[in-house]
Amino acid sequence: SSSSSFILFLALLFPQSCVTFLLPMPITSPRIPRQSSNLPLLASTSVDVDVLGWLKTIKGGSKYVEIRESSTRVPSTPKITTGFASSTSPRTPPPSPRGVYAKTSIPTGTVLMSVPSSSVLKTVEPPYRDECVKGVDFEDYKEMNWKERLILKLDSAIGSPLYSPWTSSLPKSVSLPRSLPPSTLSSLPYPSIKSKILAQSSFVTSATAKLSSHVVNSSPSSIPHLHDLVISRTFSSLLRPSFTPYPILFGLLLSSGYYVFGLGNLEQAANGMATVMCGLVLKDFVMPKISRRDVYVVCPGVDMCNHSNEPNARVEFEYFSSCYSLVSTSPIPSGSEVTISYGDNGDDAWYSNYG
């Protein structure tokens, strides 16, 4: 029994080597994040692009929702905020925000949108390894933090025809507090918020100098804009592999051969297969919670969802289909906006990332 368990356990430890030997095909290892409140998503587009139609071409999309502008308008006499001192003054309402809206009445638990893991932009923090962006020296890339890596991945997506419908929908400008005049920044009354904005500005300056020679589809002057898109559209979660059937299939092959060729009895073969299944659970569910490694994800389509303190949907990862899904958490009437929670962020995070 011990020998059979050891042999079959090799299928778990070295699935890629084993399957490559039997079936010469590439094996990918997508990541599986849970919904997290560490980093938020931002909904905003500048052109009328059928993002959901594009998602259908990559086996995503939805028949339940649409991306459009809100039918409501901002009141004509809202509060104007300068720094943190508010006053009331008439102004022209800004354009209505674009978001995700229900095309029909949606019950709880409905998958509204799915995006294959292979079609999202994702990375991890160093020193963990990540797929390097084409044309970037790996030694340089492995020293970059997650924001710098995602800036390069977004730049790469901008030059890819596959992502063209989505990248064309991204806002052409994002106004964050870091772009405020120094005199306005110095007048902010809260030191923690001022400190976060200044740190963000310092990072953008250093990232622009560091990445200028690596961006190929954007000008170096566009790096601050890419940074703003990244921090406003990224969420983080635990890193763990998605489901792959190859260790199970290879384990079944070995256990069957072990029994058929008389190397052991049926109970020993079953024990070996059980060891493989236990190891798979340990690798995919237990070890990720122990290691606490994060993955940072920009999910096209899902990034169109706006925030609400009472959201009616959440982002989930489908383990078996390796897709990021937008799932309703309460009934959504037809025509209502689909919203998610950006997380319980402090005032400094909200103001520095959104203004």
Side-chain angles (χ1 to χ4, degrees), residues 32 238-241 281-293:
I32 171 171
L238 288 180
L239 171 64
R240 66 186 185 193
V281 172
L282 180 69
K283 179 172 71 74
D284 285 358
F285 295 97
V286 178
M287 292 306 297
K289 292 186 177 181
I290 295 176
S291 64
R292 305 299 301 178
R293 291 169 56 186

PDB file of all heavy atoms in Angstrom, residues 32 238-241 281-293:
ATOM      1  N   ILE A  32      -6.533  31.381  -8.610  1.00  0.00           N
ATOM      2  CA  ILE A  32      -7.899  31.407  -8.109  1.00  0.00           C
ATOM      3  C   ILE A  32      -8.032  32.369  -6.954  1.00  0.00           C
ATOM      4  O   ILE A  32      -7.741  32.026  -5.834  1.00  0.00           O
ATOM      5  CB  ILE A  32      -8.356  29.999  -7.694  1.00  0.00           C
ATOM      6  CG1 ILE A  32      -9.686  30.063  -6.965  1.00  0.00           C
ATOM      7  CG2 ILE A  32      -7.358  29.278  -6.852  1.00  0.00           C
ATOM      8  CD1 ILE A  32     -10.303  28.735  -6.713  1.00  0.00           C
ATOM      9  N   LEU A 238      -6.393  35.711  -2.359  1.00  0.00           N
ATOM     10  CA  LEU A 238      -5.433  34.635  -2.143  1.00  0.00           C
ATOM     11  C   LEU A 238      -5.096  33.951  -3.456  1.00  0.00           C
ATOM     12  O   LEU A 238      -5.955  33.777  -4.324  1.00  0.00           O
ATOM     13  CB  LEU A 238      -5.990  33.595  -1.163  1.00  0.00           C
ATOM     14  CG  LEU A 238      -6.084  34.008   0.305  1.00  0.00           C
ATOM     15  CD1 LEU A 238      -6.653  32.849   1.117  1.00  0.00           C
ATOM     16  CD2 LEU A 238      -4.720  34.402   0.846  1.00  0.00           C
ATOM     17  N   LEU A 239      -3.863  33.548  -3.590  1.00  0.00           N
ATOM     18  CA  LEU A 239      -3.389  32.872  -4.792  1.00  0.00           C
ATOM     19  C   LEU A 239      -3.423  31.368  -4.593  1.00  0.00           C
ATOM     20  O   LEU A 239      -2.836  30.838  -3.649  1.00  0.00           O
ATOM     21  CB  LEU A 239      -1.953  33.315  -5.100  1.00  0.00           C
ATOM     22  CG  LEU A 239      -1.213  32.544  -6.201  1.00  0.00           C
ATOM     23  CD1 LEU A 239      -1.895  32.750  -7.540  1.00  0.00           C
ATOM     24  CD2 LEU A 239       0.240  32.977  -6.256  1.00  0.00           C
ATOM     25  N   ARG A 240      -4.144  30.680  -5.458  1.00  0.00           N
ATOM     26  CA  ARG A 240      -4.119  29.214  -5.462  1.00  0.00           C
ATOM     27  C   ARG A 240      -4.468  28.726  -6.864  1.00  0.00           C
ATOM     28  O   ARG A 240      -5.142  29.431  -7.615  1.00  0.00           O
ATOM     29  CB  ARG A 240      -5.073  28.640  -4.418  1.00  0.00           C
ATOM     30  CG  ARG A 240      -6.544  28.881  -4.663  1.00  0.00           C
ATOM     31  CD  ARG A 240      -7.365  28.400  -3.479  1.00  0.00           C
ATOM     32  NE  ARG A 240      -8.790  28.507  -3.729  1.00  0.00           N
ATOM     33  CZ  ARG A 240      -9.707  28.401  -2.779  1.00  0.00           C
ATOM     34  NH1 ARG A 240      -9.319  28.206  -1.534  1.00  0.00           N
ATOM     35  NH2 ARG A 240     -10.984  28.493  -3.066  1.00  0.00           N
ATOM     36  N   PRO A 241      -4.051  27.520  -7.221  1.00  0.00           N
ATOM     37  CA  PRO A 241      -4.276  27.033  -8.588  1.00  0.00           C
ATOM     38  C   PRO A 241      -5.736  26.733  -8.842  1.00  0.00           C
ATOM     39  O   PRO A 241      -6.492  26.451  -7.919  1.00  0.00           O
ATOM     40  CB  PRO A 241      -3.435  25.752  -8.667  1.00  0.00           C
ATOM     41  CG  PRO A 241      -2.662  25.683  -7.420  1.00  0.00           C
ATOM     42  CD  PRO A 241      -3.273  26.584  -6.422  1.00  0.00           C
ATOM     43  N   VAL A 281      -6.463  18.256  -2.656  1.00  0.00           N
ATOM     44  CA  VAL A 281      -7.170  19.172  -1.753  1.00  0.00           C
ATOM     45  C   VAL A 281      -6.178  19.999  -0.941  1.00  0.00           C
ATOM     46  O   VAL A 281      -6.342  21.202  -0.748  1.00  0.00           O
ATOM     47  CB  VAL A 281      -8.115  18.391  -0.824  1.00  0.00           C
ATOM     48  CG1 VAL A 281      -8.697  19.304   0.250  1.00  0.00           C
ATOM     49  CG2 VAL A 281      -9.226  17.725  -1.623  1.00  0.00           C
ATOM     50  N   LEU A 282      -5.124  19.342  -0.466  1.00  0.00           N
ATOM     51  CA  LEU A 282      -4.105  20.035   0.309  1.00  0.00           C
ATOM     52  C   LEU A 282      -3.443  21.132  -0.523  1.00  0.00           C
ATOM     53  O   LEU A 282      -3.239  22.260  -0.050  1.00  0.00           O
ATOM     54  CB  LEU A 282      -3.057  19.034   0.798  1.00  0.00           C
ATOM     55  CG  LEU A 282      -1.902  19.590   1.622  1.00  0.00           C
ATOM     56  CD1 LEU A 282      -2.396  20.074   2.978  1.00  0.00           C
ATOM     57  CD2 LEU A 282      -0.812  18.525   1.810  1.00  0.00           C
ATOM     58  N   LYS A 283      -3.123  20.812  -1.779  1.00  0.00           N
ATOM     59  CA  LYS A 283      -2.422  21.758  -2.652  1.00  0.00           C
ATOM     60  C   LYS A 283      -3.297  22.931  -3.078  1.00  0.00           C
ATOM     61  O   LYS A 283      -2.842  24.075  -3.107  1.00  0.00           O
ATOM     62  CB  LYS A 283      -1.909  21.027  -3.903  1.00  0.00           C
ATOM     63  CG  LYS A 283      -1.176  21.913  -4.905  1.00  0.00           C
ATOM     64  CD  LYS A 283      -0.551  21.089  -6.001  1.00  0.00           C
ATOM     65  CE  LYS A 283      -1.571  20.491  -6.944  1.00  0.00           C
ATOM     66  NZ  LYS A 283      -2.154  21.532  -7.856  1.00  0.00           N
ATOM     67  N   ASP A 284      -4.575  22.659  -3.381  1.00  0.00           N
ATOM     68  CA  ASP A 284      -5.438  23.696  -3.950  1.00  0.00           C
ATOM     69  C   ASP A 284      -6.215  24.503  -2.913  1.00  0.00           C
ATOM     70  O   ASP A 284      -6.648  25.627  -3.212  1.00  0.00           O
ATOM     71  CB  ASP A 284      -6.432  23.061  -4.928  1.00  0.00           C
ATOM     72  CG  ASP A 284      -5.772  22.665  -6.241  1.00  0.00           C
ATOM     73  OD1 ASP A 284      -4.563  22.924  -6.387  1.00  0.00           O
ATOM     74  OD2 ASP A 284      -6.461  22.096  -7.111  1.00  0.00           O
ATOM     75  N   PHE A 285      -6.415  23.958  -1.716  1.00  0.00           N
ATOM     76  CA  PHE A 285      -7.274  24.649  -0.759  1.00  0.00           C
ATOM     77  C   PHE A 285      -6.602  24.954   0.578  1.00  0.00           C
ATOM     78  O   PHE A 285      -6.844  26.007   1.161  1.00  0.00           O
ATOM     79  CB  PHE A 285      -8.545  23.825  -0.504  1.00  0.00           C
ATOM     80  CG  PHE A 285      -9.412  23.683  -1.712  1.00  0.00           C
ATOM     81  CD1 PHE A 285      -9.341  22.543  -2.502  1.00  0.00           C
ATOM     82  CD2 PHE A 285     -10.285  24.690  -2.083  1.00  0.00           C
ATOM     83  CE1 PHE A 285     -10.138  22.407  -3.629  1.00  0.00           C
ATOM     84  CE2 PHE A 285     -11.080  24.564  -3.209  1.00  0.00           C
ATOM     85  CZ  PHE A 285     -11.008  23.418  -3.988  1.00  0.00           C
ATOM     86  N   VAL A 286      -5.774  24.034   1.072  1.00  0.00           N
ATOM     87  CA  VAL A 286      -5.191  24.221   2.390  1.00  0.00           C
ATOM     88  C   VAL A 286      -3.926  25.073   2.333  1.00  0.00           C
ATOM     89  O   VAL A 286      -3.796  26.061   3.052  1.00  0.00           O
ATOM     90  CB  VAL A 286      -4.879  22.862   3.056  1.00  0.00           C
ATOM     91  CG1 VAL A 286      -4.230  23.069   4.427  1.00  0.00           C
ATOM     92  CG2 VAL A 286      -6.159  22.040   3.193  1.00  0.00           C
ATOM     93  N   MET A 287      -2.987  24.711   1.450  1.00  0.00           N
ATOM     94  CA  MET A 287      -1.714  25.422   1.389  1.00  0.00           C
ATOM     95  C   MET A 287      -1.859  26.900   1.017  1.00  0.00           C
ATOM     96  O   MET A 287      -1.142  27.744   1.561  1.00  0.00           O
ATOM     97  CB  MET A 287      -0.768  24.711   0.412  1.00  0.00           C
ATOM     98  CG  MET A 287      -0.306  23.344   0.877  1.00  0.00           C
ATOM     99  SD  MET A 287       0.452  23.393   2.528  1.00  0.00           S
ATOM    100  CE  MET A 287       1.869  24.441   2.210  1.00  0.00           C
ATOM    101  N   PRO A 288      -2.776  27.270   0.099  1.00  0.00           N
ATOM    102  CA  PRO A 288      -2.922  28.700  -0.195  1.00  0.00           C
ATOM    103  C   PRO A 288      -3.315  29.526   1.025  1.00  0.00           C
ATOM    104  O   PRO A 288      -2.874  30.668   1.170  1.00  0.00           O
ATOM    105  CB  PRO A 288      -4.032  28.719  -1.259  1.00  0.00           C
ATOM    106  CG  PRO A 288      -3.936  27.396  -1.925  1.00  0.00           C
ATOM    107  CD  PRO A 288      -3.555  26.441  -0.830  1.00  0.00           C
ATOM    108  N   LYS A 289      -4.147  28.970   1.908  1.00  0.00           N
ATOM    109  CA  LYS A 289      -4.545  29.710   3.103  1.00  0.00           C
ATOM    110  C   LYS A 289      -3.395  29.820   4.100  1.00  0.00           C
ATOM    111  O   LYS A 289      -3.321  30.763   4.876  1.00  0.00           O
ATOM    112  CB  LYS A 289      -5.745  29.039   3.754  1.00  0.00           C
ATOM    113  CG  LYS A 289      -7.011  29.134   2.921  1.00  0.00           C
ATOM    114  CD  LYS A 289      -8.211  28.587   3.664  1.00  0.00           C
ATOM    115  CE  LYS A 289      -9.478  28.758   2.835  1.00  0.00           C
ATOM    116  NZ  LYS A 289     -10.675  28.262   3.551  1.00  0.00           N
ATOM    117  N   ILE A 290      -2.502  28.838   4.075  1.00  0.00           N
ATOM    118  CA  ILE A 290      -1.343  28.881   4.968  1.00  0.00           C
ATOM    119  C   ILE A 290      -0.293  29.857   4.444  1.00  0.00           C
ATOM    120  O   ILE A 290       0.298  30.637   5.198  1.00  0.00           O
ATOM    121  CB  ILE A 290      -0.735  27.469   5.135  1.00  0.00           C
ATOM    122  CG1 ILE A 290      -1.742  26.545   5.834  1.00  0.00           C
ATOM    123  CG2 ILE A 290       0.567  27.528   5.924  1.00  0.00           C
ATOM    124  CD1 ILE A 290      -1.268  25.111   5.945  1.00  0.00           C
ATOM    125  N   SER A 291      -0.053  29.826   3.139  1.00  0.00           N
ATOM    126  CA  SER A 291       0.990  30.677   2.542  1.00  0.00           C
ATOM    127  C   SER A 291       0.581  32.146   2.484  1.00  0.00           C
ATOM    128  O   SER A 291       1.438  33.036   2.505  1.00  0.00           O
ATOM    129  CB  SER A 291       1.337  30.182   1.138  1.00  0.00           C
ATOM    130  OG  SER A 291       0.224  30.308   0.276  1.00  0.00           O
ATOM    131  N   ARG A 292      -0.751  32.425   2.363  1.00  0.00           N
ATOM    132  CA  ARG A 292      -1.267  33.798   2.325  1.00  0.00           C
ATOM    133  C   ARG A 292      -0.639  34.640   1.212  1.00  0.00           C
ATOM    134  O   ARG A 292      -0.378  35.829   1.378  1.00  0.00           O
ATOM    135  CB  ARG A 292      -1.047  34.503   3.671  1.00  0.00           C
ATOM    136  CG  ARG A 292      -1.611  33.790   4.870  1.00  0.00           C
ATOM    137  CD  ARG A 292      -3.101  33.609   4.797  1.00  0.00           C
ATOM    138  NE  ARG A 292      -3.816  34.871   4.687  1.00  0.00           N
ATOM    139  CZ  ARG A 292      -5.145  34.974   4.575  1.00  0.00           C
ATOM    140  NH1 ARG A 292      -5.880  33.865   4.495  1.00  0.00           N
ATOM    141  NH2 ARG A 292      -5.735  36.145   4.510  1.00  0.00           N
ATOM    142  N   ARG A 293      -0.379  34.037   0.076  1.00  0.00           N
ATOM    143  CA  ARG A 293       0.125  34.782  -1.067  1.00  0.00           C
ATOM    144  C   ARG A 293      -1.036  35.432  -1.809  1.00  0.00           C
ATOM    145  O   ARG A 293      -2.087  34.817  -2.004  1.00  0.00           O
ATOM    146  CB  ARG A 293       0.895  33.860  -2.002  1.00  0.00           C
ATOM    147  CG  ARG A 293       2.204  33.355  -1.446  1.00  0.00           C
ATOM    148  CD  ARG A 293       2.786  32.242  -2.301  1.00  0.00           C
ATOM    149  NE  ARG A 293       2.961  32.659  -3.680  1.00  0.00           N
ATOM    150  CZ  ARG A 293       3.338  31.829  -4.651  1.00  0.00           C
ATOM    151  NH1 ARG A 293       3.593  30.553  -4.383  1.00  0.00           N
ATOM    152  NH2 ARG A 293       3.480  32.271  -5.880  1.00  0.00           N
TER     153      ARG A 293
END
